[in-house]
Amino acid sequence: MTQEHNVTHAAGTALPSSSPMVRQTNLSLVLRHLRDHASQSRADIAETTGLHRATVSNLVSELLDRQLVREIGTEHVGAIGRPRRPLALHGAHVGALGLEINVDYISVHGSDLSGRVLVERRVGFDTIAAGPDRALRMLSQMALDAVEAMKRAEAVPAGLGVALPGLVDVARGVVTFAPNLGWRDLPLAARLSAALSPWSVPVSVDNDANLAAVAEHTSGVAAGTSHLVYLTGEVGVGGGIFVDGKLLRGADGFAGEVGHLPVDPGGALCGCGRYGCWETKVGLAALVRMAMPDQVYQPADLPVSDPEERATEIARGLAAGDPQMMDAVAQVGRWLGLGGSILANLFNPRVIVVGGYFATLAEWLLPHAQAELERLVVARSANHCRFIASDLGFGAASRGAASMVVNRLIDHPTMIMDPLPRLSPI
Amino acid sequence: MTQEHNVTHAAGTALPSSSPMVRQTNLSLVLRHLRDHASQSRADIAETTGLHRATVSNLVSELLDRQLVREIGTEHVGAIGRPRRPLALHGAHVGALGLEINVDYISVHGSDLSGRVLVERRVGFDTIAAGPDRALRMLSQMALDAVEAMKRAEAVPAGLGVALPGLVDVARGVVTFAPNLGWRDLPLAARLSAALSPWSVPVSVDNDANLAAVAEHTSGVAAGTSHLVYLTGEVGVGGGIFVDGKLLRGADGFAGEVGHLPVDPGGALCGCGRYGCWETKVGLAALVRMAMPDQVYQPADLPVSDPEERATEIARGLAAGDPQMMDAVAQVGRWLGLGGSILANLFNPRVIVVGGYFATLAEWLLPHAQAELERLVVARSANHCRFIASDLGFGAASRGAASMVVNRLIDHPTMIMDPLPRLSPI
C-alpha cells in the first residue's frame, strides 16, 4: 500500500496525453512511487503503477530535467539485457519548511523534497506570556532565518507548514481553539503569510499530533504502517491516526482528539472543565503528581515547566529503582493501556507509537500499558496491536509539518515544475 | 465524494483500450457513478469521471447490451442541441442475497443490482440452542428458498453475504469469535458454500454492525454521508464506522468494536468478564434492569427474550409517562451520549445513526444522549455531530449484506458480464 494515495479515478484511455490533469496525475504517481519505495527502475515503476513503459520514460525524462528525480548507483542489466538505472527522489533545490509552536518552545525543521534535513532548530519560548502577536513575529523570524539557511544550501522553500497543539480548521488555516496556548479563532495562515511578505509561500496549519503522526508514518519506527495510532505524551495528550495509509481527519478536521476521552466519569477535574479525562490519568502532570508528590505541580506553572526535564528527572529516579516512582509509572502505564484498548477496539491499528515523555519513559511505562491493552481489548487473540516508543524525539511535529509540505508538492508536482523555465525551447 | 471508491491509480494514457484491467476499471467507474447519483447522461458521466465522451459512450453501450444500465425518462435536449438520455443502474437479472443470523432470528434480504427489493423474510430461531450445524442447515435452506423466489422474479443471485454479531476474518470468511451465538473459529463461508452445493455462488461473511452501517450508508436516513458512525442497540451494542466514505476495517478487520469500550472502570461486571463496558450501560439488559426492575433479566434468558418486544413494552410505558422508565431512559441516554462523545472525539463523524432498540426509543433516548454528547465532546462549537434514529428497522444487517454483494459486483463488473453470451457475434 502506498501512503496518501489520493488519486481518485482512472484517467481512462482516450484523454490526450497532453491533458494537464493527466500529466499532473501521472507525474505525481511516479514521484509518490519513488517516495514510498527505495531505488526503482523505470520498469519497476511501470509495473507497479500500471502506466505504460513509454509513458514512464517520458515522465521520468521530464522529472530528470527538472532535477526532481535522479539516477542512482551503477547501471545494472535486467533479464532481457536492457539497462535498468535505479531512480530516486531528488529535488535538492526544492525546500519544505515545518514549524512547531508549543507551550514552551518553537522548533523548525527544513528538508528538501527527498527528506534530506537542511535545518533544525529549537528555541525556548513562553507562548502564553508572549501572546499571539509576539508569537507570530517570533514564528516569522524563525521561518525567515530558516529560509536563509536553506537558500545557502541552494534550496528554495516551496511551502511552509505550522504545527500547534489545538483544534485547527485546516482548510482555512485558522486555529479554532488551542487551550494550552490561549488562542481561539486565530487566522494563523493568513497572519503568518502577511508577516512573511514580500516572501510569498503557501502556508498551512495543522494539529501537532496529526503532524507528528505524519512524521512517524513517513520516517518513524513504524514508517509505512497503514493502520497506525500516534500518541504524544506531554502536559496534554494528543493523537494522530492513520487509517488505510491516510491521516484521519473526520468531517470537520477534528478527528483524533484523545486527550479528553472520558475514561473515568468519577475521576478528577480536568483543566478542560470535565471530569476523568484521559489526560488527567496519563498527562505528565498526573505522573509528576504521583511520582514526586512533594513537588507542587500547579496548573499555573505548566507553561514554564520543561516537560523534557521533568521526564528526564523521573527516568533517573526509575533507573535508581525509586519505589514511589515505580508505583506511579505502573499506574499511569495501566491507564495508558486502558485508553490504548479504546483505540485498539475502535481502529484496530497494527501499532500505537508513543512520543513525548511516553517515549522517554518507555522501558518502564510500556510493559504495564501493553499488559493492560491486551487484558482489555476485545479481539484478544487476533489483535496484535503493540505499543512502540517513537525515536523522533520532541521534534516530530515540525518534521511532520515539513513532510506534509513535501506530500502536498508530490501530489501537485506542477506547482514546482511549471514556474521553472523550459530547458528545451519548442 | 463517491463511496467505496477503491480505484487506486490512474490508468494512464498509453495502455491499449482493450486492456482487461482498464476495461474493468472503467466499467466499474460508470456503474459506481450511476449507483451514487440519480439519473445521469453520458455527458454527466464523462464530466465527473474524467473519461472521454467517446469512451463513456462505448462503455455505456456495452452496459446497455448487458442490461446493467438502462435509459430512463424522456430525452431532453442539452445546451448544444444533442440528445441527453438519462441513465440509471439496472441489472434486474442480477441478484444479491443477504442473510443475517443473530441470537434469536435469521433474516434474508434479496435485491437486484439497482437495489430493488425482491425478497425479505425473517424467522425466529434460537441459534445457541440449535448449535452451528443446525444453524448452517437453516441458513442454507433460507438461502435456497430466497433463490427460488428471486428466480421467479427472473434474477439470479450472483453473490451471497452473511451478517452475524461477532468478530469475523472477512478475507477467509471465518467467524473468529461470536460470543452471543456461542461460535468460535467457524469457517462459515466454506461450510455454507458446501451446504449450498451444487448451487455455486461466492459467499462472504461480515460483522452485523459493519453491514448495517453499509445499509445506512447506502440507503438509510443519512445515506451518502462520508463520515458516519452506526450503532446497533440490542442486548449487545455493535458499531460500524464510515471514514471518508469507506467502511473502516483496521489492520485485521476488527475495527469498530464499541460494545466493550471501558467507560467506567469501577462499573458492573460485563458478560465478557471485564468491568464497566459500554454495553453494561447502554445494552438492552441495562435498560430493562432499570426500567422494569421487577422483571428478572438473567443472562441465561437473553437468547430467548425478544429485544423488539421488550423495547416496544418500554416504549408503551414511556408514552404513558411511567416515571421509573423515564428515569431509566435518561440514565441510559446519558451513557449513550458519553460513548458517543468518545466516537465524536476520535472520528469526528457528521452523524451517529442508531438502530435496534435505540431507534425504537429514539424520541425519549436521543435528547439525553445529544445533550451529553455536546457537553463532553471537545470541539464543541465546531463539531455538529448529531444522533439520528435509523429507519431501516431490525433488517438493516441483511440489507447491508446484500448491498455489500452489489458493491462487490460493481467493483468487478466483468464477474457478471463475461459469462453471458455476447449479443452481437464478431
Side-chain angles (χ1 to χ4, degrees):
Chain A
M1 289 290 295
T2 56
Q3 55 191 1
E4 294 279 327
H5 211 173
N6 63 3
V7 176
T8 53
H9 62 264
T13 59
L15 276 170
S17 59
S18 59
S19 153
M21 188 185 83
V22 171
R23 175 171 169 261
Q24 170 114 311
T25 300
N26 289 347
L27 287 166
S28 181
L29 259 181
V30 172
L31 290 173
R32 254 201 297 267
H33 187 75
L34 291 172
R35 175 193 62 192
D36 298 339
H37 301 87
S39 79
Q40 295 272 305
S41 70
R42 292 164 180 77
D44 298 331
I45 296 170
E47 194 173 322
T48 316
T49 59
L51 293 170
H52 195 277
R53 286 201 187 197
T55 307
V56 171
S57 284
N58 290 338
L59 294 165
V60 166
S61 295
E62 197 176 353
L63 293 168
L64 282 169
D65 278 354
R66 305 308 181 100
Q67 302 184 324
L68 297 180
V69 307
R70 62 194 174 100
E71 290 176 328
I72 54 169
T74 52
E75 287 186 21
H76 55 95
V77 177
I80 53 163
R82 297 263 306 259
R84 296 160 66 90
R85 261 188 226 100
L87 297 159
L89 209 57
H90 190 30
H93 61 296
V94 179
L97 195 54
L99 290 164
E100 179 190 1
I101 180 158
N102 217 309
V103 175
D104 54 358
Y105 63 88
I106 297 179
S107 64
V108 59
H109 181 104
S111 78
D112 71 7
L113 195 73
S114 74
R116 188 170 55 106
V117 180
L118 301 177
V119 55
E120 259 189 326
R121 198 179 155 209
R122 181 174 171 185
V123 299
F125 187 74
D126 186 342
T127 304
I128 292 188
D133 292 347
R134 273 190 48 216
L136 268 156
R137 278 201 298 278
M138 184 69 178
L139 272 177
S140 61
Q141 192 51 55
M142 285 189 66
L144 292 171
D145 290 351
V147 169
E148 287 310 310
M150 292 172 81
K151 278 184 179 164
R152 284 193 293 276
E154 296 184 2
V156 180
L160 189 163
V162 185
L164 57 88
L167 298 172
V168 178
D169 180 337
V170 173
R172 298 191 304 132
V174 172
V175 181
T176 306
F177 185 39
N180 296 338
L181 305 185
W183 293 359
R184 192 186 278 276
D185 299 323
L186 182 71
L188 184 57
R191 299 243 348 235
L192 190 54
S193 289
L196 293 171
S197 175
W199 181 47
S200 172
V201 68
V203 175
S204 58
V205 184
D206 210 328
N207 173 271
D208 60 344
N210 276 350
L211 290 175
V214 169
E216 292 296 341
H217 189 255
T218 307
S219 52
V221 284
T225 305
S226 296
H227 295 270
L228 175 155
V229 168
Y230 172 79
L231 299 175
T232 170
E234 307 194 20
V235 174
V237 176
I241 296 159
F242 270 78
V243 164
D244 276 327
K246 278 185 65 178
L247 182 66
L248 175 68
R249 293 201 173 275
D252 310 292
F254 299 141
E257 274 301 321
V258 299
H260 301 280
L261 292 182
V263 295
D264 185 9
L269 182 64
C270 180
C272 74
R274 302 176 190 87
Y275 288 85
C277 295
W278 197 28
E279 212 162 278
T280 67
K281 305 291 187 182
V282 300
L284 185 58
L287 177 64
V288 170
R289 205 179 300 115
M290 285 189 286
M292 309 148 84
D294 44 330
Q295 296 213 16
V296 182
Y297 203 74
Q298 299 290 354
D301 73 351
L302 293 188
V304 287
S305 302
D306 187 327
E308 274 180 272
E309 199 175 291
R310 298 281 180 149
T312 309
E313 203 177 332
I314 294 175
R316 273 196 301 270
L318 289 166
D322 181 316
Q324 193 165 38
M325 290 192 178
M326 295 297 250
D327 185 59
V329 88
Q331 279 192 56
V332 171
R334 282 195 294 272
W335 281 107
L336 184 58
L338 180 138
S341 81
I342 293 180
L343 299 166
N345 280 336
L346 293 178
F347 294 100
N348 182 203
R350 178 65 63 233
V351 295
I352 300 177
V353 181
V354 294
Y357 96 82
F358 295 152
T360 313
L361 304 184
E363 67 178 290
W364 300 281
L365 203 54
L366 297 194
H368 298 287
Q370 185 70 35
E372 189 73 350
L373 170 75
E374 288 174 15
R375 190 177 76 79
L376 289 175
V377 75
V378 172
R380 219 177 292 193
S381 57
N383 190 334
H384 306 294
C385 177
R386 314 273 325 155
F387 277 102
I388 306 180
S390 167
D391 62 0
L392 293 182
F394 282 74
S398 52
R399 177 187 285 264
S403 295
M404 191 69 113
V405 170
V406 167
N407 291 342
R408 209 164 282 137
L409 294 173
I410 285 179
D411 285 343
H412 304 95
T414 50
M415 284 171 60
I416 42 174
M417 296 180 74
D418 294 336
L420 298 177
R422 286 199 164 272
L423 296 181
S424 48
I426 298 160
Chain B
M1 288 290 295
T2 57
Q3 54 190 359
E4 296 275 331
H5 212 174
N6 64 2
V7 175
T8 54
H9 61 264
T13 60
L15 274 170
S17 60
S18 60
S19 153
M21 189 186 82
V22 172
R23 175 171 168 261
Q24 171 114 311
T25 300
N26 289 347
L27 287 166
S28 181
L29 259 182
V30 173
L31 290 172
R32 253 201 296 267
H33 187 76
L34 291 172
R35 176 193 62 191
D36 298 339
H37 300 87
S39 79
Q40 294 274 304
S41 69
R42 290 163 180 79
D44 297 331
I45 298 170
E47 192 173 322
T48 316
T49 59
L51 292 170
H52 196 278
R53 286 202 187 198
T55 308
V56 171
S57 283
N58 289 340
L59 294 165
V60 166
S61 294
E62 197 177 353
L63 293 168
L64 282 168
D65 278 354
R66 304 310 179 98
Q67 301 184 328
L68 296 181
V69 306
R70 64 195 173 99
E71 290 175 327
I72 54 170
T74 51
E75 287 183 23
H76 55 95
V77 177
I80 53 163
R82 297 259 311 252
R84 297 160 66 92
R85 258 187 228 100
L87 297 159
L89 209 58
H90 190 32
H93 61 295
V94 179
L97 195 55
L99 290 164
E100 179 190 1
I101 180 157
N102 216 307
V103 176
D104 54 358
Y105 64 86
I106 296 179
S107 65
V108 59
H109 181 103
S111 78
D112 70 8
L113 195 74
S114 74
R116 188 171 55 108
V117 180
L118 301 176
V119 56
E120 259 190 326
R121 199 179 154 208
R122 181 173 171 187
V123 299
F125 188 74
D126 185 343
T127 304
I128 292 189
D133 292 347
R134 271 189 50 214
L136 268 156
R137 279 201 297 280
M138 185 69 178
L139 272 177
S140 61
Q141 191 52 55
M142 283 188 68
L144 292 170
D145 289 351
V147 169
E148 287 310 309
M150 291 171 82
K151 278 184 178 164
R152 283 193 294 275
E154 294 183 3
V156 180
L160 188 163
V162 185
L164 58 87
L167 298 172
V168 177
D169 180 338
V170 173
R172 299 191 305 132
V174 172
V175 181
T176 306
F177 184 39
N180 295 339
L181 305 184
W183 294 358
R184 194 185 276 277
D185 299 321
L186 181 72
L188 184 58
R191 298 237 357 228
L192 190 55
S193 289
L196 293 171
S197 173
W199 182 48
S200 172
V201 69
V203 174
S204 58
V205 184
D206 211 327
N207 172 271
D208 59 345
N210 276 349
L211 291 174
V214 169
E216 292 297 339
H217 189 255
T218 307
S219 52
V221 284
T225 305
S226 295
H227 295 270
L228 176 155
V229 169
Y230 173 78
L231 299 175
T232 169
E234 308 195 17
V235 173
V237 176
I241 294 158
F242 270 78
V243 165
D244 275 327
K246 279 185 64 177
L247 182 65
L248 174 68
R249 293 201 172 276
D252 310 292
F254 299 140
E257 275 300 321
V258 299
H260 301 278
L261 293 182
V263 293
D264 185 10
L269 182 65
C270 179
C272 74
R274 301 176 192 86
Y275 288 85
C277 295
W278 197 28
E279 211 162 282
T280 67
K281 306 290 187 182
V282 300
L284 185 56
L287 176 64
V288 170
R289 204 179 301 114
M290 285 189 286
M292 308 147 86
D294 44 330
Q295 295 212 19
V296 182
Y297 203 75
Q298 300 287 353
D301 73 351
L302 293 189
V304 286
S305 300
D306 186 327
E308 274 180 271
E309 200 175 290
R310 297 279 179 150
T312 309
E313 205 177 330
I314 293 174
R316 273 196 301 270
L318 289 166
D322 180 316
Q324 192 163 40
M325 290 193 177
M326 295 297 250
D327 185 59
V329 88
Q331 280 193 55
V332 170
R334 281 194 294 270
W335 280 107
L336 184 57
L338 181 138
S341 81
I342 294 180
L343 299 166
N345 280 336
L346 294 177
F347 294 100
N348 182 204
R350 179 63 64 234
V351 295
I352 301 178
V353 181
V354 295
Y357 97 81
F358 295 151
T360 313
L361 304 185
E363 67 178 289
W364 299 280
L365 204 53
L366 296 194
H368 297 287
Q370 185 70 35
E372 188 73 349
L373 170 75
E374 288 173 17
R375 191 177 73 81
L376 290 175
V377 76
V378 172
R380 218 177 292 191
S381 59
N383 190 333
H384 306 295
C385 177
R386 311 277 324 159
F387 278 102
I388 306 181
S390 166
D391 62 0
L392 293 181
F394 283 74
S398 53
R399 176 188 287 263
S403 295
M404 191 69 113
V405 169
V406 167
N407 291 343
R408 210 164 280 138
L409 295 173
I410 285 178
D411 284 343
H412 304 96
T414 50
M415 284 172 60
I416 42 174
M417 296 180 73
D418 294 335
L420 298 177
R422 287 196 165 275
L423 296 180
S424 48
I426 299 160

